[in-house]
Amino acid sequence: MPHAQKRPPTVTGRDGGLAVAYQPPHPDPKRWLVLALIAVGQLMIVLDASIVNIALPQAQHALNISDADRQWVVTAYTLTFGGLLLLGGRVADFLGRKRVFITGLVGFALASALGGLAPDSAVLFGARALQGGFAAVMAPAALSLLAVTFTERKERATAFSVYGGISGGGAAIGLILGGMLTQYASWRWCLLVNVPVALITAACALRLVRESRAEGTAHYDIPGAVTVTLGLVGLVYGFTEAETDGWGSATTLAFLVGAVMLLAAFVAIEARSQHPLLPLRVVLERNRAGAFTAALLSGTGLFGMFLFLTYYLQGTLRYSPLKSGFAFLPFSVGIVIGAGLTSQLLPRFGPRNLLAPGLLLAAGGLLWFTRIGANPSYALHVLPAEIVVSIGMGPVFVTVASTALVGVADRDAGVASALVNTSQQVGGSLGTALLNTIAATATANYLITHHGAVQASSCTVTGWPSRSAPSCSPSASWPLSCSSGPAATTCPIPTRQANHYEGQSSVTANRVRSPRST
């Protein structure tokens, strides 16, 4: 079989039995339209991780989802998304980034339709898992298409600023859109809205996007894909179980230990594999390693902020879903401003001089959030911290996305781009579960220290989904807001493993027990 010449102007040849589309020497004249399509695809991916948060109470009531199971509406998406991203990156590299991007869009539309029309909780959970799976192949294909489409330095910085702005602001946009759709239409439209958008984007991509593939014969590291996916899922599930069962429970320890063993096995497999799912050369380069670490940590803080602040707005400040969504709008604006400034400064100052100040600024904003109390003013307490975090996160998203792909071989572009998303998603999933567990422990200790026995006719807990006793609202002010009265009520609170009364993680009025005493 004849081999294609190395760099013809615009030729598609064959190398090792796999079609290889070589990048033309001149910029793609349709590259800005391609950027718009990639932006829409990335927006759907990021948006769908948050749009269902505000709609969750309505979906739970409509489908009779138990308090213990409702978490799967969110985690079914994040687990499959984070767990399959590495495989998705490799699939995009060898099957064709355009082909995989379009396939992901169509599959995402079908999964969204299935979820929006779900007759019961099982179908909804399955649809959310399918959404995460198709997002896992669409996201790395989109980012690697961005990398091969924009090669000129300034244009590349602009393109990545758009991508970074969407990655950071999409979650807040999802909260706004989710509030609007839930309040004025139905929770089902939070899923159904993806269908026309994804199909139209796929049709446009079919005409506008150029195909590109990695050279060489396609090889898929199935053992590596299985071990890393199960390891990440086990780690996320272990942290989630620790919220209710505690760190010392057999279930939590089994998942965490098993996850660590699987991830260690994954590293060993990758070091020995001739065709690894994750070539260790991608993560061992110092600059890329720093970018992936920054993505992991920023995802941890950002996902946690959205979770706690959403419940804080609806519980403590008593905002409606729509008003809560609009309360996040300044965050989206700040991300756009930060990303725009970064795109102008990146070619001049380089990523390191922008990434570090961005992380410090975002950390300062998160620290500011710790100063809000039970009766704050949104304009004086919440809004300033929100703006500081968002402006700091703008440079983080842009520089991380750009640095992670600098100097990456074409055959590794999909994997490197997948690692950006994997780091953010895994960081967010693990961070949310871990922060929930820490807050749950602090909550139980606060009750024991400050309340002892609680007389209550109405006890509500802010920022914590009720896993039992639906007679108590899960959306009021925390640490504990009780109005005294003669009637006792059972109010669920997040506790550690020993606070299981009659098989539920709850505290009955007039009876608060220490985790250490059971």
Side-chain angles (χ1 to χ4, degrees):
M1 180 180 294
H3 291 279
Q5 298 178 8
K6 285 298 180 181
R7 295 191 63 84
T10 52
V11 177
T12 299
R14 302 197 59 90
D15 186 7
L18 179 67
V20 180
Y22 294 102
Q23 186 175 335
H26 302 293
D28 186 349
K30 300 178 181 178
R31 60 190 180 279
W32 298 111
L33 293 176
V34 173
L35 174 61
L37 298 178
I38 292 173
V40 172
Q42 180 65 14
L43 179 61
M44 284 193 300
I45 293 170
V46 177
L47 182 147
D48 234 66
S50 63
I51 193 173
V52 299
N53 287 348
I54 291 179
L56 186 54
Q58 287 75 14
Q60 179 184 0
H61 180 266
L63 300 182
N64 296 316
I65 304 174
S66 69
D67 290 332
D69 289 340
R70 65 184 178 185
Q71 63 170 323
W72 289 107
V73 178
V74 176
T75 55
Y77 179 88
T78 58
L79 287 177
T80 53
F81 184 30
L84 296 176
L85 269 171
L86 288 173
L87 180 61
R90 183 55 70 188
V91 169
D93 280 341
F94 285 104
L95 289 186
R97 292 155 188 143
K98 173 183 176 179
R99 178 187 299 177
V100 171
F101 181 65
I102 294 174
T103 302
L105 284 168
V106 174
F108 197 84
L110 295 176
S112 298
L114 180 63
L117 301 174
D120 53 45
S121 60
V123 175
L124 179 59
F125 299 160
R128 290 290 287 166
L130 284 174
Q131 278 188 310
F134 283 111
V137 297
M138 183 166 53
L143 187 54
S144 56
L145 280 173
L146 198 67
V148 299
T149 301
F150 291 89
T151 56
E152 196 274 328
R153 188 177 182 184
K154 290 186 178 180
E155 289 188 351
R156 185 186 182 95
T158 301
F160 277 108
S161 71
V162 173
Y163 182 91
I166 290 174
S167 297
I173 294 173
L175 292 171
I176 297 172
L177 184 59
M180 293 178 63
L181 292 174
T182 301
Q183 191 158 326
Y184 294 112
S186 167
W187 67 268
R188 294 182 181 275
W189 278 103
C190 292
L191 297 170
L192 293 174
V193 70
N194 293 318
V195 178
V197 176
L199 292 179
I200 292 172
T201 304
C204 294
L206 191 63
R207 295 173 57 88
L208 298 176
V209 178
R210 289 179 175 178
E211 185 61 282
S212 65
R213 298 181 180 90
E215 298 183 23
T217 304
H219 295 279
Y220 300 105
D221 179 13
I222 301 302
V226 171
T227 52
V228 71
T229 301
L230 292 179
L232 291 174
V233 170
L235 203 58
V236 171
Y237 197 82
F239 277 116
T240 303
E241 285 298 299
E243 179 183 345
T244 52
D245 293 342
W247 293 105
S249 72
T251 302
T252 301
L253 291 176
F255 275 106
L256 293 179
V257 172
V260 171
M261 293 176 63
L262 285 169
L263 292 175
F266 169 71
V267 174
I269 291 171
E270 300 311 284
R272 292 175 172 81
S273 176
Q274 293 184 350
H275 305 284
L277 179 67
L278 173 59
L280 296 184
R281 61 181 177 269
V282 175
V283 296
L284 293 179
E285 197 275 327
R286 185 180 67 178
N287 292 324
R288 286 196 291 272
F292 298 139
T293 302
L296 181 76
L297 296 177
S298 62
T300 299
L302 196 59
F303 274 61
M305 185 205 74
F306 276 124
L307 173 69
F308 295 125
L309 193 56
T310 297
Y311 279 102
Y312 183 79
L313 292 172
Q314 295 192 42
T316 301
L317 300 186
R318 303 291 185 176
Y319 283 9
S320 67
L322 181 57
K323 188 175 181 180
S324 297
F326 274 105
F328 282 100
L329 185 59
F331 185 87
S332 299
V333 175
I335 288 285
V336 172
I337 293 175
L341 291 175
T342 303
S343 68
Q344 302 297 320
L345 299 175
L346 185 60
R348 179 178 179 183
F349 293 99
R352 182 176 62 180
N353 294 325
L354 298 174
L355 177 60
L359 288 171
L360 290 175
L361 192 62
L366 293 175
L367 184 63
W368 196 335
F369 274 126
T370 66
R371 309 308 303 169
I372 60 178
N375 298 293
S377 165
Y378 171 81
L380 296 179
H381 299 89
V382 179
L383 179 60
E386 195 175 322
I387 292 175
V388 170
V389 173
S390 62
I391 293 178
M393 290 303 297
V396 173
F397 284 115
V398 174
T399 55
V400 163
S402 179
T403 304
L405 294 176
V406 171
V408 176
D410 181 68
R411 67 183 185 276
D412 294 329
V415 174
S417 62
L419 276 177
V420 175
N421 289 280
T422 295
S423 300
Q424 292 174 346
Q425 195 68 26
V426 171
S429 300
L430 294 179
T432 299
L434 180 60
L435 291 171
N436 266 323
T437 302
I438 293 173
T441 303
T443 296
N445 290 337
Y446 181 93
L447 283 178
I448 296 162
T449 303
H450 293 81
H451 290 274
V454 178
Q455 297 282 345
S457 61
S458 175
C459 296
T460 52
V461 179
T462 294
W464 300 101
S466 170
R467 294 195 175 197
S468 59
S471 59
C472 290
S473 168
S475 60
S477 180
W478 185 251
L480 186 68
S481 175
C482 293
S483 58
S484 61
T489 187
T490 300
C491 296
I493 64 168
T495 59
R496 288 187 288 181
Q497 71 275 17
N499 281 8
H500 283 240
Y501 307 117
E502 293 80 35
Q504 300 179 9
S505 298
S506 62
V507 169
T508 302
N510 304 322
R511 181 181 176 205
V512 178
R513 298 175 61 186
S514 167
R516 303 180 185 87
S517 65
T518 54

